[in-house]
Amino acid sequence: MDRRDFLLRGTALGCTAAASPFVTPVALASAPWDNRLVVVILRGAMDGLDVVQPYGDAGLAGLRPDLPSGEAGGGMDLDGFFSMHASLGALSPLWRSGELGFVHAVSTPYRDKRSHFDGQDLLEAGIGGTSGIRDGWLNRMLQQVPGLEQEIAYAVGREQMLILSGDKLVSSWAPGTDLQLGTETQRLLELVQHDDPIFRAASTDAIRIAAEARDLGNLAGEAVGRGTSVDVARFAASRLLADTRIASFSINGWDTHNQQARGLRQPLEELANTILTLKSSLGDVWSKTAVVCMTEFGRTARQNGSGGTDHGTAGAMLLAGGAVRGGRVVTDWPGLGEADLYDRRDLMPTRDVRAHAGWMMRGLFGLPQGTIESAIFPGLEMGGDPGLLL
Amino acid sequence: MFDPILAEIRFGTGLSPIHRPVQSADTMIARLKGPDVAAGDFGWTMFRNTRPSPDDLLDAGRAIRDAETEAAREEALAARREMYDRVGLLYRRGFKTSLLRAARAEDGFREALVDFWADHFTVLAKNAQHRHLVMGYIEEAIRPNVAGRFQDMLIAVVTNPLMLLYLDQSSSVGPNSPAGQRGGRGLNENLAREMLELHTVGVEAEYSQTDVRQLAELLTGLTAPSGDHFKFQRNRSEPGEEVVLGRTYGSGGEGFHNVVEALTDIATHPATARHISTKLARHFIADDPPEEVIAVMADAFRATNGDLAAVYEAMLRHDQAWTPERLKVKQPIEFMKSACRALGMGANDIASDRPGDLHPAFFSPLITMGQEWQKPNGPDGWPERSDFWVTPQFMAARISWSIYKVNTFMTHLEDPRDFVRTALGPNPPEDVVFAAGAAANIRDGIGVVLSSAAFQRR
C-alpha cells in the first residue's frame, strides 16, 4: 500500500468515525491485549553517549575530556564496557532486577540537517523523510486494530503529541487542567449542555477526570520526586490501571549545548523519577508494562568549546518495565574512532529506532511484522528480533 | 433560507452588540468586494515590511561573532536581545490584532474567510525567530486575495518566503541546473506534493508520483534567499520541459512564466474546483457537507475560472447552507473570537502587550483547548471534525476559560440576562436563558452562556 492509498483509507476511516454517535468510553473491554506501552519523547536531543557511556571504548575519553565517564564520572558500570550516568542512579535497582535496559547507536532516518523541529516530527511520524507528515505511528498502530475505544490510548500533558495524532480518536488530558466548579455552577452547566449529546458527554467526563486527577493521592503507589513529568506519570498510571493500554508524553530539557555536566542532571533525575513513579503507581500492572524513551537524535561525539555537545545523529533509547528483558545494552557498537563516526562527527547509526519500536509492538500487541513494515512504519525493514521483551 | 443571525454565527465571527446582523447575502458579497475596512482600522504590515526580518536577525548574530572587543560583543548581544524582544512583541500584537478584528469588524464573513484560507495555506514558523512573520504572510498573501481569484492567491502564497521555507522549496535545486551540477544538490518534492495533495486538486484527484516529481522540477528556482524576500533563481531551475497533469511547460525555455502558467492551470483545474468547494462547505456548513451545495459551488468555480466571490455566493444562495441545526463546532480560536465579539471587547479591554497578561488569558488556554495559536501539527492545518475538538480536556479548557478568564481581561461585563440574547440572538434556548439568570454572580452567568452547547456551535 503506498502513502496515497494509505491516506485515502485514513480519510474513509475518519468519515466513519465522524458519522458515528459519540460513545462514552467507560468500562468497556477496550483492547484485545493486556500489555501496556508507554512512549516517552525526550525533546531536545538527549546525548546518548553521556547517558549510556561507552567508557570501554578507547576513543571516548579523548573526545570528551570534560565529560568524564565510567566510575571516574560517578557513573554506574553496566557491563564492563558501558556505564550509566550518575544522575540515573536511582534506577540502579531496576537495572539489577532486569527491568531497565538500553539500546545504543540508533537513530531515525533523519540526517544532516539536525533540526529539533524536523527531527521530532520524523521520530513521532515514524516515516522516512520530513515531507508528507500527517499522523503519528502510534495512531497508525491503533488504526490497524478495529473496535478500539477512545480510552485505549492517552496523550498526557500539554504538549501536542504528534505520535498519537491522526484519524483514530484517542484520549488526552493535561494534569493541572483546572475544572473545579461549585455545585450550583456545575448544575447550570449540566443544564446548558443537556440537549447536546457530545457536549454533555465531554463535559461530564471532564468534570469526572479532573476530580480523579485531584484524587490521585488515593493511588496505591507513591509519586517519586516532584515535577511536571512526575505528575504526568502519575496521571498516566491511573489511566493505565483502567482501560488504557498505550500512553505517551514528553519530557523536555535535553538540549545541552553548554555546561552539559550540570545541564543533564535535572532532566535525568526527572526521567528517573518519572519511571520510578510509573513503577510505583502501576503496582502489579508494571509487570505487563514496557516504557520506551526515545529522542529525536543524538549529539556530537566531541564536546564543544563550552562544555556541551551539539546536534548529532545516533543516540540511545531507554527501556524500562516489568515486561522488558533488561539488564542489557543492545547494540551493534560502531566504535568512536574518527573514521567510525558519521560525518567524522557523530556516533554512527547502526540500526533504526523504528525497528526497535516495531519489535516492541510485535511482542506486546502481536501485530504482524508485515503490518508494521507497511502501515505503521512504511518502508521500514525491521531486521532480526532484538529480543527486547520477556 | 438566508437568516441574519445564522449569517453572523455560521459565516462570520459571531453576533456583536455593536453591529446589526447583516441583512442579505447580497450585502455579504458586496461588503467582501468592497474595501477591507478592518485591515484599515486595525493595521498590520506586510511580510516584506515586518522588522526585524530574517536578514536582520542573521546580521545581528554575525555582529556578535565578529565583535572584536568585549565591549563591542556586549553591545551586539544587547542589540540582538532587543530584536528578539521585538519579535515577541510583534507576535503578541499580531494575536491582539486578529482578535480585535474578529471582535470589532462589521464584515465578520471576511474575517472568517481570512482564517479559513490561512489554514488552507498553512505555514508554520520553523523557529521562534520567525513566529512574528506569519501575520505578515497572511496580510500579504492571503488577505488581499480572499475575494479575488484563487489562482492569484495560490501564486501569492507560493512566492511568499514563509511558504518557500516551510515546505522546503527554498532548498530545492534542479539536478541538471547549473547550481545542481556544481553543488551536487537536488530536488525537494515537499511543496509540489502538498500543493497537489492539499492546496489544489486534492488527494483524491487523479495524479501520480510522476506529476509530483515533474511539478517539483518545474518549481525549482523559486527561492527565499535567507528568508527575506522571494526570488526566482534561474541557475537553480531544472532545464527542459515538464509535464504536469497532462500539460507541457517550459518548451520556450526557462523562466518564472512557466511556473505562473502551470499554477494558473492547476488552480483552475476541475479537481481544484471540487476540492476547494468541498473544503469551504466542510468548514462553514457541516463536517459532512451536502453534495448539492458542493456541486453548485464547484460549478461556479469552473464557470468563473476560480472567482472566489462567485463560489461564496453560490454557497450563500443555497438553502442547504442555512439549515437551522448548527452542525459545526467552533474551533477554539473561533470560540474565543466569537466570545470576544459577543462581549463587545475593545482595544482597551486587552490594552497590555505583556506576556504576563496575554499568556494566562489567551495563549495558554488556547493550548489547553488544543489549538496553540498559529501552530497546527502540519501543512494540512487544523482538523475540522467536531469529535476532534469536543474532548474532555478541551471542554474543560473551554469551560474554565469562560468562567475564570473572561472576567480578567474584560473591564465591564454585561448583565448575563441580556448577554444571553447578545450572544445567541433574539431566541436563545430556554435552558440557557434560565441558567444565565440563575447564576450566583455575573462572572458565572456569562461563563455559563459561553460554555453552553448553543454558543459553542455555529
Side-chain angles (χ1 to χ4, degrees):
Chain A
M1 179 168 56
D2 69 22
R3 204 179 76 85
R4 199 161 156 272
D5 288 339
F6 175 73
L7 282 170
L8 284 170
R9 282 192 25 174
T11 312
L13 279 171
C15 291
T16 319
S20 72
F22 189 92
V23 182
T24 311
V26 179
L28 294 164
S30 53
W33 64 80
D34 202 25
N35 290 324
R36 305 325 196 251
L37 173 65
V38 181
V39 179
V40 184
I41 304 290
L42 309 173
R43 294 183 197 278
M46 179 183 79
D47 183 8
L49 286 174
D50 207 357
V51 174
V52 190
Q53 306 152 347
Y55 76 102
D57 190 307
L60 184 66
L63 291 166
R64 302 178 153 215
D66 300 321
L67 296 171
S69 55
E71 287 180 3
M76 173 192 159
D77 174 57
L78 296 176
D79 57 6
F81 185 83
F82 289 105
S83 59
M84 181 170 81
H85 193 286
S87 298
L88 283 180
L91 296 181
S92 311
L94 266 62
W95 173 266
R96 285 191 285 271
S97 60
E99 295 164 88
L100 174 70
F102 298 95
V103 175
H104 220 321
V106 285
S107 76
T108 70
Y110 185 56
R111 293 292 184 276
D112 301 331
K113 282 182 72 186
R114 304 178 174 97
S115 139
H116 293 303
F117 178 94
D118 290 344
Q120 287 171 26
D121 276 0
L122 207 141
L123 172 70
E124 294 182 73
I127 61 177
T130 50
S131 60
I133 289 172
R134 285 287 182 289
D135 52 8
W137 57 267
L138 278 179
N139 195 286
R140 292 198 298 275
M141 183 249 134
L142 296 168
Q143 293 172 27
Q144 305 308 313
V145 187
L148 297 177
E149 298 292 335
Q150 197 172 337
E151 188 90 359
I152 186 82
Y154 245 97
V156 191
R158 295 182 73 168
E159 207 100 25
Q160 283 256 14
M161 299 301 290
L162 173 64
I163 191 170
L164 267 170
S165 307
D167 281 327
K168 171 72 188 146
L169 287 174
V170 302
S171 301
S172 64
W173 188 259
T177 302
D178 175 31
L179 193 61
Q180 217 170 344
L181 302 172
T183 321
E184 186 65 11
T185 310
Q186 189 174 319
R187 213 178 56 77
L188 295 177
L189 184 68
E190 280 162 14
L191 186 66
V192 298
Q193 309 287 40
H194 185 268
D195 292 341
D196 195 315
I198 69 168
F199 279 91
R200 185 177 65 221
S203 301
T204 308
D205 286 349
I207 290 165
R208 172 181 58 83
I209 298 170
E212 286 168 7
R214 281 196 298 277
D215 288 346
L216 277 181
N218 300 333
L219 261 180
E222 291 294 312
V224 178
R226 305 174 68 124
T228 314
S229 307
V230 170
D231 292 341
V232 162
R234 264 169 82 66
F235 180 79
S238 75
R239 301 292 104 184
L240 291 162
L241 286 171
D243 286 337
T244 298
R245 294 293 177 271
I246 292 172
S248 189
F249 55 86
S250 47
I251 300 180
N252 297 318
W254 304 92
D255 199 14
T256 48
H257 286 280
N258 303 298
Q259 304 307 322
Q260 181 166 307
R262 200 172 58 218
L264 260 187
R265 208 177 297 152
Q266 194 269 331
L268 281 174
E269 283 170 7
E270 188 168 346
L271 175 59
N273 290 342
T274 303
I275 288 168
L276 292 173
T277 297
L278 280 171
K279 176 179 162 72
S280 149
S281 306
L282 282 171
D284 294 344
V285 170
W286 177 252
S287 67
K288 306 170 195 165
T289 299
V291 183
V292 182
C293 308
M294 41 174 57
T295 191
E296 64 261 31
F297 42 73
R299 309 189 70 84
T300 47
R302 264 177 217 88
Q303 68 175 55
N304 64 20
S306 52
T309 53
D310 295 308
H311 299 181
T313 308
M317 298 164 83
L318 183 151
L319 312 175
V324 161
R325 186 193 300 274
R328 301 179 307 147
V329 180
V330 176
T331 186
D332 301 313
W333 189 246
L336 289 174
E338 187 167 350
D340 302 324
L341 298 178
Y342 178 80
D343 204 14
R344 308 181 90 79
R345 176 182 199 272
D346 305 335
L347 180 62
M348 179 71 75
T350 52
R351 204 158 179 196
D352 196 316
V353 163
R354 299 175 300 163
H356 292 285
W359 282 109
M360 292 290 253
M361 287 191 283
R362 174 95 187 80
L364 291 169
F365 309 137
L367 287 168
Q369 188 170 341
T371 303
I372 296 170
E373 290 176 336
S374 60
I376 301 174
F377 295 123
L380 174 74
E381 283 176 28
M382 286 167 66
D385 184 355
L388 303 173
L389 299 164
L390 286 175
Chain B
M1 280 291 288
F2 180 89
D3 169 349
I5 304 298
L6 270 185
E8 299 292 350
I9 293 177
R10 181 168 299 163
F11 297 104
T13 54
L15 292 168
S16 156
I18 296 157
H19 301 294
R20 181 167 169 262
V22 64
Q23 295 300 308
S24 69
D26 289 341
T27 311
M28 290 174 79
I29 296 299
R31 278 182 186 165
L32 260 187
K33 288 183 171 169
D36 187 342
V37 181
D41 289 350
F42 307 96
W44 196 256
T45 52
M46 303 290 239
F47 182 91
R48 58 179 171 270
N49 299 327
T50 306
R51 292 291 179 270
S53 68
D55 265 358
D56 297 336
L57 292 163
L58 219 61
D59 289 345
R62 257 186 229 122
I64 296 168
R65 267 199 313 283
D66 297 346
E68 290 181 351
T69 65
E70 193 50 35
R73 190 181 136 79
E74 287 297 321
E75 200 178 313
L77 277 167
R80 189 175 64 170
R81 207 173 308 124
E82 260 175 34
M83 240 177 228
Y84 279 121
D85 285 350
R86 185 156 170 76
V87 164
L89 183 67
L90 281 171
Y91 178 74
R92 298 190 295 276
R93 286 214 177 130
F95 176 77
K96 271 176 56 174
T97 301
S98 92
L99 210 55
L100 279 170
R101 281 174 177 169
R104 306 297 286 198
E106 184 179 40
D107 188 358
F109 187 36
R110 185 193 296 270
E111 299 310 311
L113 286 169
V114 170
D115 285 354
F116 169 83
W117 286 112
D119 184 65
H120 179 76
F121 287 114
T122 288
V123 293
L124 275 165
K126 281 198 175 183
N127 49 47
Q129 297 93 301
H130 290 176
R131 62 190 174 144
H132 64 308
L133 299 173
V134 177
M135 269 297 278
Y137 160 80
I138 295 171
E139 213 64 6
E140 186 162 313
I142 304 290
R143 204 167 178 97
N145 294 306
V146 286
R149 298 187 303 175
F150 179 69
Q151 66 201 65
D152 294 333
M153 198 187 309
L154 181 66
I155 291 166
V157 158
V158 164
T159 54
N160 190 284
L162 218 49
M163 181 59 88
L164 294 176
L165 289 174
Y166 175 44
L167 293 181
D168 307 315
Q169 183 58 40
S170 214
S171 57
S172 183
V173 175
N176 298 307
S177 69
Q181 291 289 308
R182 208 171 43 243
R185 287 179 297 171
L187 222 48
N188 187 306
E189 298 177 0
N190 206 4
L191 177 63
R193 178 181 306 281
E194 303 306 9
M195 192 193 294
L196 292 177
E197 186 171 319
L198 300 173
H199 298 157
T200 60
V201 294
V203 72
E204 296 183 35
E206 294 289 325
Y207 66 88
S208 66
Q209 172 56 31
T210 312
D211 288 310
V212 172
R213 185 93 191 159
Q214 290 280 298
L215 180 57
E217 288 185 7
L218 188 68
L219 294 178
T220 50
L222 302 184
T223 63
S226 77
D228 226 358
H229 57 277
F230 164 73
K231 193 172 174 195
F232 182 77
Q233 289 184 311
R234 190 181 286 265
N235 72 333
R236 290 173 161 228
S237 177
E238 178 72 2
E241 296 179 349
E242 284 91 17
V243 182
V244 182
L245 300 175
R247 294 200 192 180
T248 307
Y249 304 95
S251 41
E254 299 314 298
F256 181 56
H257 63 275
N258 294 320
V259 176
V260 172
E261 202 184 312
L263 293 190
T264 305
D265 287 342
I266 297 169
T268 51
H269 193 280
T272 302
R274 168 128 195 122
H275 180 61
I276 296 298
S277 302
T278 308
K279 263 201 91 168
L280 277 161
R282 179 172 291 142
H283 179 72
F284 283 104
I285 303 170
D287 293 352
D288 300 307
E291 179 52 41
E292 295 90 326
V293 185
I294 297 171
V296 295
M297 291 171 74
D299 285 346
F301 192 110
R302 279 191 298 270
T304 61
N305 277 329
D307 173 19
L308 293 173
V311 179
Y312 309 145
E313 191 170 348
M315 172 170 72
L316 295 176
R317 294 205 183 283
H318 201 291
D319 280 352
Q320 289 198 51
W322 298 93
T323 45
E325 304 83 47
R326 300 189 199 166
L327 298 169
K328 292 295 296 189
V329 169
K330 291 175 185 173
Q331 294 179 16
I333 191 70
E334 295 170 342
F335 162 61
M336 216 177 239
K337 284 180 171 180
S338 65
C340 290
R341 189 173 175 91
L343 292 162
M345 188 183 77
N348 291 334
D349 290 308
I350 44 164
S352 162
D353 283 319
R354 282 174 309 190
D357 290 330
L358 286 177
H359 276 279
F362 297 103
F363 287 117
S364 166
L366 270 176
I367 294 172
T368 324
M369 291 177 203
Q371 198 169 31
E372 183 169 8
W373 194 53
Q374 293 184 340
K375 280 205 186 153
N377 264 338
D380 49 343
W382 296 107
E384 280 288 349
R385 285 157 21 213
S386 306
D387 48 10
F388 177 87
W389 297 110
V390 188
T391 70
Q393 184 201 337
F394 295 167
M395 274 313 293
R398 290 185 188 218
I399 296 164
S400 178
W401 184 79
S402 305
I403 296 179
Y404 300 114
K405 290 298 177 192
V406 163
N407 67 320
T408 64
F409 61 83
M410 290 302 297
T411 48
H412 169 79
L413 289 174
E414 201 180 350
D415 185 321
R417 289 168 296 184
D418 302 326
F419 180 70
V420 69
R421 286 186 172 76
T422 308
L424 296 169
N427 302 305
E430 279 175 33
D431 288 344
V432 188
V433 174
F434 173 82
N441 53 49
I442 290 180
R443 185 199 74 175
D444 287 12
I446 300 282
V448 168
V449 174
L450 294 177
S451 312
S452 69
F455 186 78
Q456 309 261 354
R457 286 183 175 275
R458 61 177 178 77

